Amino acid sequence: MIHEEDIYQIGKLGKTHGVKGEISFLFDDDVFDRVDADYLILKVDGIFVPFFIEEYRFRSDANAIIKFEDIDTQERARELTGCEVYFPRELADTDDNSISWAAIVGFDIIEVESGNKIGRIASVDDTTLNILFCLEDGRLIPASSDLITAIDQQARTIIMHLPTGLLDL
């Protein structure tokens, strides 16, 4: 059984492409191309299901056409339209310097001086130059590398040195 804490979302499936079971894949993280992975995990009717990749090709920096094994018709591919796509954390890059924004969703932020948990990352806003961690309680924390002192992927924590008063805003 696949548990949600063992995976992270990297994109979503779009429209079908052609009649042989190919489908558009809109992704935030190209980890499936950087790491040797035979499968992706789709959320189908609320259940995480592995689908083995037969082939894929990039259309842009954020879009690929993907073909899964045993999905051989447009009708079968259409059933997957809109499914969220996930990647196993255990197969992801283990280098803390190359961890993607998508991979840290669900990590806890720990304040370095006090050791207190500040909150859990619900999402990352990278739409502007100043990237922000959006916490589950609605607070925003700057995702500046100057503030991050350590990332522990095993413990799923980010240790940060937060300026005095930042959390009071």
Side-chain angles (χ1 to χ4, degrees):
M1 181 176 214
I2 299 170
H3 299 283
E4 193 162 3
E5 60 272 5
D6 297 332
I7 57 178
Y8 67 96
Q9 187 173 357
I10 62 168
K12 191 172 189 174
L13 295 179
K15 297 189 220 177
T16 60
H17 183 81
V19 295
K20 296 189 178 184
E22 294 180 319
I23 191 164
S24 176
F25 173 32
L26 307 163
F27 56 89
D28 301 325
D29 187 337
D30 66 350
V31 66
F32 65 96
D33 187 51
R34 295 189 321 267
V35 176
D36 188 25
D38 297 330
Y39 65 96
L40 295 174
I41 298 164
L42 305 184
K43 190 172 190 179
V44 181
D45 297 328
I47 300 170
F48 297 111
V49 181
F51 280 78
F52 286 86
I53 302 168
E54 189 171 305
E55 63 182 0
Y56 64 89
R57 62 187 180 279
F58 289 100
R59 294 185 77 190
S60 71
D61 304 7
N63 190 356
I65 300 298
I66 194 162
K67 168 84 173 66
F68 293 110
E69 290 182 8
D70 301 323
I71 306 295
D72 297 322
T73 65
Q74 184 178 28
E75 292 75 27
R76 293 281 318 271
R78 188 175 292 121
E79 294 171 7
L80 301 177
T81 298
C83 285
E84 296 171 350
V85 181
Y86 294 82
F87 195 80
R89 289 186 190 277
E90 68 182 7
L91 297 180
D93 301 335
T94 56
D95 179 7
D96 289 340
N97 294 324
S98 67
I99 189 170
S100 70
W101 293 125
I104 63 170
V105 171
F107 278 38
D108 291 326
I109 294 180
I110 308 295
E111 210 287 317
V112 70
E113 278 83 24
S114 67
N116 292 334
K117 176 181 169 182
I118 304 303
R120 179 164 288 153
I121 300 171
S123 64
V124 178
D125 181 354
D126 62 353
T127 58
T128 65
L129 189 57
N130 297 317
I131 298 170
L132 299 169
F133 294 138
C134 306
L135 303 184
E136 290 176 344
D137 63 7
R139 291 184 291 173
L140 302 173
I141 305 288
S144 170
S145 60
D146 295 338
L147 301 178
I148 297 172
T149 58
I151 299 174
D152 184 341
Q153 290 190 58
Q154 293 293 73
R156 299 185 64 201
T157 59
I158 297 176
I159 312 298
M160 298 186 74
H161 174 74
L162 301 176
T164 305
L166 179 71
L167 298 175
D168 299 328
L169 296 176

Short mmCIF file of all heavy atoms in Angstrom, two decimals, residues 54-92:
data_model
loop_
_atom_site.label_atom_id
_atom_site.label_comp_id
_atom_site.label_asym_id
_atom_site.label_seq_id
_atom_site.Cartn_x
_atom_site.Cartn_y
_atom_site.Cartn_z
N GLU A 54 5.95 3.60 -20.24
CA GLU A 54 6.42 2.95 -21.45
C GLU A 54 7.38 3.88 -22.19
O GLU A 54 8.45 3.48 -22.61
CB GLU A 54 5.24 2.58 -22.33
CG GLU A 54 5.59 1.71 -23.50
CD GLU A 54 4.35 1.21 -24.21
OE1 GLU A 54 3.49 0.59 -23.55
OE2 GLU A 54 4.25 1.44 -25.43
N GLU A 55 6.97 5.14 -22.32
CA GLU A 55 7.83 6.15 -22.94
C GLU A 55 7.27 7.53 -22.65
O GLU A 55 6.11 7.68 -22.27
CB GLU A 55 7.95 5.94 -24.45
CG GLU A 55 6.64 6.09 -25.19
CD GLU A 55 6.79 5.82 -26.69
OE1 GLU A 55 7.90 5.53 -27.16
OE2 GLU A 55 5.77 5.90 -27.38
N TYR A 56 8.11 8.55 -22.84
CA TYR A 56 7.67 9.94 -22.73
C TYR A 56 8.57 10.80 -23.58
O TYR A 56 9.70 10.41 -23.91
CB TYR A 56 7.65 10.41 -21.27
CG TYR A 56 9.00 10.44 -20.62
CD1 TYR A 56 9.80 11.59 -20.68
CD2 TYR A 56 9.49 9.34 -19.93
CE1 TYR A 56 11.05 11.62 -20.08
CE2 TYR A 56 10.73 9.37 -19.34
CZ TYR A 56 11.50 10.51 -19.41
OH TYR A 56 12.74 10.54 -18.82
N ARG A 57 8.06 11.97 -23.92
CA ARG A 57 8.86 12.96 -24.63
C ARG A 57 8.42 14.33 -24.18
O ARG A 57 7.24 14.56 -23.91
CB ARG A 57 8.75 12.80 -26.15
CG ARG A 57 7.36 12.98 -26.71
CD ARG A 57 7.31 12.62 -28.20
NE ARG A 57 5.99 12.80 -28.75
CZ ARG A 57 4.99 11.94 -28.65
NH1 ARG A 57 5.17 10.80 -28.01
NH2 ARG A 57 3.82 12.20 -29.19
N PHE A 58 9.39 15.22 -24.06
CA PHE A 58 9.11 16.57 -23.59
C PHE A 58 8.53 17.42 -24.71
O PHE A 58 8.98 17.34 -25.85
CB PHE A 58 10.38 17.23 -23.04
CG PHE A 58 10.83 16.64 -21.75
CD1 PHE A 58 11.87 15.72 -21.71
CD2 PHE A 58 10.21 16.99 -20.56
CE1 PHE A 58 12.28 15.17 -20.52
CE2 PHE A 58 10.62 16.44 -19.36
CZ PHE A 58 11.66 15.52 -19.34
N ARG A 59 7.55 18.24 -24.36
CA ARG A 59 7.02 19.24 -25.28
C ARG A 59 7.51 20.63 -24.89
O ARG A 59 7.61 21.51 -25.71
CB ARG A 59 5.49 19.21 -25.27
CG ARG A 59 4.95 17.90 -25.83
CD ARG A 59 3.48 17.91 -25.93
NE ARG A 59 3.10 18.69 -27.10
CZ ARG A 59 1.86 19.05 -27.37
NH1 ARG A 59 0.90 18.71 -26.55
NH2 ARG A 59 1.59 19.74 -28.45
N SER A 60 7.77 20.83 -23.58
CA SER A 60 8.28 22.09 -23.06
C SER A 60 8.92 21.82 -21.70
O SER A 60 9.03 20.66 -21.29
CB SER A 60 7.14 23.12 -22.93
OG SER A 60 6.29 22.77 -21.86
N ASP A 61 9.29 22.89 -20.99
CA ASP A 61 9.90 22.74 -19.66
C ASP A 61 8.92 22.18 -18.63
O ASP A 61 9.34 21.71 -17.58
CB ASP A 61 10.38 24.08 -19.11
CG ASP A 61 11.33 24.79 -20.01
OD1 ASP A 61 11.54 24.33 -21.13
OD2 ASP A 61 11.87 25.81 -19.59
N ALA A 62 7.64 22.29 -18.91
CA ALA A 62 6.64 21.88 -17.91
C ALA A 62 5.58 20.95 -18.49
O ALA A 62 4.56 20.71 -17.86
CB ALA A 62 5.97 23.11 -17.33
N ASN A 63 5.83 20.41 -19.68
CA ASN A 63 4.83 19.56 -20.32
C ASN A 63 5.52 18.43 -21.07
O ASN A 63 6.51 18.65 -21.76
CB ASN A 63 3.98 20.41 -21.28
CG ASN A 63 2.78 19.67 -21.81
OD1 ASN A 63 2.58 18.50 -21.54
ND2 ASN A 63 1.97 20.37 -22.59
N ALA A 64 4.98 17.23 -20.90
CA ALA A 64 5.49 16.07 -21.63
C ALA A 64 4.30 15.26 -22.12
O ALA A 64 3.19 15.38 -21.61
CB ALA A 64 6.36 15.21 -20.71
N ILE A 65 4.55 14.46 -23.12
CA ILE A 65 3.57 13.47 -23.57
C ILE A 65 4.06 12.15 -23.01
O ILE A 65 5.22 11.76 -23.21
CB ILE A 65 3.49 13.41 -25.11
CG1 ILE A 65 3.09 14.75 -25.69
CG2 ILE A 65 2.52 12.31 -25.55
CD1 ILE A 65 1.73 15.25 -25.26
N ILE A 66 3.19 11.45 -22.28
CA ILE A 66 3.60 10.22 -21.61
C ILE A 66 2.69 9.08 -22.05
O ILE A 66 1.50 9.27 -22.31
CB ILE A 66 3.60 10.41 -20.07
CG1 ILE A 66 4.33 9.29 -19.38
CG2 ILE A 66 2.20 10.59 -19.54
CD1 ILE A 66 4.75 9.61 -17.95
N LYS A 67 3.29 7.90 -22.11
CA LYS A 67 2.56 6.67 -22.46
C LYS A 67 2.85 5.67 -21.36
O LYS A 67 3.99 5.37 -21.06
CB LYS A 67 3.06 6.15 -23.82
CG LYS A 67 2.61 4.75 -24.18
CD LYS A 67 1.24 4.76 -24.80
CE LYS A 67 0.83 3.40 -25.33
NZ LYS A 67 0.66 2.38 -24.31
N PHE A 68 1.78 5.20 -20.72
CA PHE A 68 1.92 4.20 -19.67
C PHE A 68 1.68 2.81 -20.25
O PHE A 68 0.90 2.65 -21.19
CB PHE A 68 0.91 4.46 -18.54
CG PHE A 68 1.16 5.72 -17.77
CD1 PHE A 68 0.30 6.79 -17.88
CD2 PHE A 68 2.25 5.83 -16.92
CE1 PHE A 68 0.52 7.96 -17.17
CE2 PHE A 68 2.49 6.99 -16.21
CZ PHE A 68 1.61 8.06 -16.33
N GLU A 69 2.33 1.81 -19.67
CA GLU A 69 2.11 0.42 -20.08
C GLU A 69 0.64 0.06 -19.88
O GLU A 69 0.00 0.49 -18.91
CB GLU A 69 2.99 -0.52 -19.26
CG GLU A 69 4.45 -0.42 -19.59
CD GLU A 69 5.31 -1.39 -18.79
OE1 GLU A 69 4.77 -2.27 -18.09
OE2 GLU A 69 6.54 -1.26 -18.87
N ASP A 70 0.11 -0.72 -20.79
CA ASP A 70 -1.27 -1.23 -20.75
C ASP A 70 -2.34 -0.16 -20.93
O ASP A 70 -3.53 -0.44 -20.75
CB ASP A 70 -1.54 -2.02 -19.47
CG ASP A 70 -0.61 -3.22 -19.33
OD1 ASP A 70 -0.30 -3.86 -20.36
OD2 ASP A 70 -0.17 -3.50 -18.20
N ILE A 71 -1.97 1.06 -21.23
CA ILE A 71 -2.93 2.11 -21.59
C ILE A 71 -2.73 2.32 -23.09
O ILE A 71 -1.83 3.05 -23.51
CB ILE A 71 -2.69 3.41 -20.80
CG1 ILE A 71 -2.68 3.17 -19.30
CG2 ILE A 71 -3.71 4.48 -21.19
CD1 ILE A 71 -4.00 2.70 -18.72
N ASP A 72 -3.54 1.61 -23.90
CA ASP A 72 -3.29 1.54 -25.33
C ASP A 72 -4.34 2.21 -26.20
O ASP A 72 -4.25 2.14 -27.43
CB ASP A 72 -3.14 0.08 -25.76
CG ASP A 72 -1.94 -0.58 -25.09
OD1 ASP A 72 -0.91 0.09 -24.94
OD2 ASP A 72 -2.04 -1.76 -24.72
N THR A 73 -5.35 2.80 -25.58
CA THR A 73 -6.38 3.46 -26.38
C THR A 73 -6.65 4.86 -25.83
O THR A 73 -6.35 5.16 -24.67
CB THR A 73 -7.70 2.67 -26.35
OG1 THR A 73 -8.21 2.68 -25.01
CG2 THR A 73 -7.53 1.25 -26.84
N GLN A 74 -7.23 5.68 -26.67
CA GLN A 74 -7.60 7.03 -26.25
C GLN A 74 -8.62 6.97 -25.11
O GLN A 74 -8.56 7.77 -24.18
CB GLN A 74 -8.17 7.79 -27.45
CG GLN A 74 -8.48 9.24 -27.14
CD GLN A 74 -8.99 9.99 -28.37
OE1 GLN A 74 -9.59 9.40 -29.25
NE2 GLN A 74 -8.75 11.28 -28.39
N GLU A 75 -9.52 6.02 -25.16
CA GLU A 75 -10.54 5.89 -24.12
C GLU A 75 -9.92 5.57 -22.76
O GLU A 75 -10.31 6.13 -21.74
CB GLU A 75 -11.57 4.80 -24.49
CG GLU A 75 -12.44 5.17 -25.68
CD GLU A 75 -11.72 5.06 -27.03
OE1 GLU A 75 -10.75 4.26 -27.16
OE2 GLU A 75 -12.09 5.81 -27.95
N ARG A 76 -8.95 4.63 -22.74
CA ARG A 76 -8.28 4.29 -21.48
C ARG A 76 -7.49 5.48 -20.95
O ARG A 76 -7.48 5.75 -19.76
CB ARG A 76 -7.31 3.11 -21.68
CG ARG A 76 -7.92 1.77 -21.99
CD ARG A 76 -8.50 1.02 -20.79
NE ARG A 76 -7.72 1.03 -19.58
CZ ARG A 76 -6.77 0.16 -19.24
NH1 ARG A 76 -6.45 -0.80 -20.05
NH2 ARG A 76 -6.16 0.25 -18.09
N ALA A 77 -6.83 6.22 -21.85
CA ALA A 77 -6.07 7.40 -21.43
C ALA A 77 -7.01 8.48 -20.90
O ALA A 77 -6.69 9.17 -19.93
CB ALA A 77 -5.23 7.93 -22.59
N ARG A 78 -8.16 8.62 -21.51
CA ARG A 78 -9.13 9.64 -21.09
C ARG A 78 -9.58 9.41 -19.65
O ARG A 78 -9.86 10.35 -18.92
CB ARG A 78 -10.33 9.65 -22.04
CG ARG A 78 -11.27 10.81 -21.78
CD ARG A 78 -12.42 10.92 -22.79
NE ARG A 78 -11.90 11.29 -24.10
CZ ARG A 78 -12.06 10.55 -25.21
NH1 ARG A 78 -12.70 9.40 -25.16
NH2 ARG A 78 -11.57 10.95 -26.35
N GLU A 79 -9.62 8.16 -19.21
CA GLU A 79 -9.99 7.85 -17.83
C GLU A 79 -9.00 8.43 -16.82
O GLU A 79 -9.33 8.62 -15.65
CB GLU A 79 -10.08 6.33 -17.64
CG GLU A 79 -11.20 5.68 -18.42
CD GLU A 79 -11.13 4.15 -18.38
OE1 GLU A 79 -10.28 3.60 -17.63
OE2 GLU A 79 -11.92 3.52 -19.10
N LEU A 80 -7.77 8.69 -17.28
CA LEU A 80 -6.72 9.22 -16.39
C LEU A 80 -6.64 10.74 -16.41
O LEU A 80 -5.91 11.33 -15.62
CB LEU A 80 -5.37 8.63 -16.78
CG LEU A 80 -5.27 7.10 -16.73
CD1 LEU A 80 -3.89 6.65 -17.22
CD2 LEU A 80 -5.55 6.58 -15.34
N THR A 81 -7.37 11.38 -17.32
CA THR A 81 -7.35 12.84 -17.44
C THR A 81 -7.66 13.48 -16.09
O THR A 81 -8.63 13.11 -15.43
CB THR A 81 -8.36 13.32 -18.50
OG1 THR A 81 -7.96 12.77 -19.76
CG2 THR A 81 -8.40 14.82 -18.59
N GLY A 82 -6.83 14.41 -15.68
CA GLY A 82 -7.04 15.13 -14.43
C GLY A 82 -6.44 14.47 -13.21
O GLY A 82 -6.44 15.06 -12.12
N CYS A 83 -5.89 13.28 -13.34
CA CYS A 83 -5.28 12.59 -12.19
C CYS A 83 -4.03 13.33 -11.74
O CYS A 83 -3.23 13.79 -12.54
CB CYS A 83 -4.89 11.16 -12.56
SG CYS A 83 -6.27 10.01 -12.67
N GLU A 84 -3.86 13.42 -10.43
CA GLU A 84 -2.65 13.98 -9.86
C GLU A 84 -1.54 12.94 -9.99
O GLU A 84 -1.78 11.74 -9.84
CB GLU A 84 -2.86 14.33 -8.39
CG GLU A 84 -3.89 15.42 -8.19
CD GLU A 84 -4.27 15.62 -6.73
OE1 GLU A 84 -3.89 14.79 -5.86
OE2 GLU A 84 -4.96 16.61 -6.45
N VAL A 85 -0.31 13.41 -10.27
CA VAL A 85 0.83 12.52 -10.46
C VAL A 85 1.81 12.72 -9.31
O VAL A 85 2.15 13.86 -8.96
CB VAL A 85 1.53 12.82 -11.81
CG1 VAL A 85 2.71 11.88 -12.02
CG2 VAL A 85 0.54 12.70 -12.97
N TYR A 86 2.28 11.62 -8.74
CA TYR A 86 3.17 11.65 -7.59
C TYR A 86 4.45 10.87 -7.89
O TYR A 86 4.48 10.04 -8.80
CB TYR A 86 2.49 11.02 -6.37
CG TYR A 86 1.31 11.82 -5.88
CD1 TYR A 86 0.07 11.71 -6.48
CD2 TYR A 86 1.45 12.70 -4.81
CE1 TYR A 86 -1.01 12.45 -6.04
CE2 TYR A 86 0.37 13.44 -4.35
CZ TYR A 86 -0.85 13.31 -4.97
OH TYR A 86 -1.91 14.05 -4.53
N PHE A 87 5.48 11.14 -7.09
CA PHE A 87 6.77 10.46 -7.23
C PHE A 87 7.19 9.93 -5.87
O PHE A 87 7.02 10.62 -4.86
CB PHE A 87 7.82 11.44 -7.78
CG PHE A 87 9.04 10.75 -8.29
CD1 PHE A 87 9.06 10.18 -9.55
CD2 PHE A 87 10.19 10.66 -7.51
CE1 PHE A 87 10.18 9.53 -10.02
CE2 PHE A 87 11.32 10.02 -7.97
CZ PHE A 87 11.31 9.44 -9.24
N PRO A 88 7.76 8.72 -5.81
CA PRO A 88 8.21 8.16 -4.53
C PRO A 88 9.40 8.93 -3.96
O PRO A 88 10.38 9.17 -4.66
CB PRO A 88 8.63 6.73 -4.87
CG PRO A 88 8.20 6.49 -6.27
CD PRO A 88 7.96 7.80 -6.92
N ARG A 89 9.30 9.33 -2.71
CA ARG A 89 10.39 10.06 -2.05
C ARG A 89 11.67 9.22 -2.02
O ARG A 89 12.76 9.75 -2.14
CB ARG A 89 10.01 10.45 -0.63
CG ARG A 89 8.98 11.54 -0.57
CD ARG A 89 8.75 12.00 0.87
NE ARG A 89 7.60 12.88 0.95
CZ ARG A 89 7.64 14.18 0.69
NH1 ARG A 89 8.77 14.75 0.34
NH2 ARG A 89 6.56 14.92 0.78
N GLU A 90 11.54 7.90 -1.86
CA GLU A 90 12.73 7.05 -1.74
C GLU A 90 13.55 7.02 -3.03
O GLU A 90 14.75 6.75 -2.99
CB GLU A 90 12.35 5.64 -1.34
CG GLU A 90 11.59 4.88 -2.40
CD GLU A 90 11.17 3.49 -1.97
OE1 GLU A 90 11.34 3.15 -0.78
OE2 GLU A 90 10.67 2.75 -2.83
N LEU A 91 12.94 7.32 -4.17
CA LEU A 91 13.66 7.33 -5.44
C LEU A 91 14.17 8.73 -5.80
O LEU A 91 14.97 8.87 -6.72
CB LEU A 91 12.76 6.84 -6.57
CG LEU A 91 12.27 5.40 -6.49
CD1 LEU A 91 11.39 5.08 -7.69
CD2 LEU A 91 13.43 4.43 -6.38
N ALA A 92 13.69 9.75 -5.10
CA ALA A 92 14.05 11.13 -5.43
C ALA A 92 15.51 11.40 -5.11
O ALA A 92 16.17 10.64 -4.39
CB ALA A 92 13.15 12.10 -4.67
#
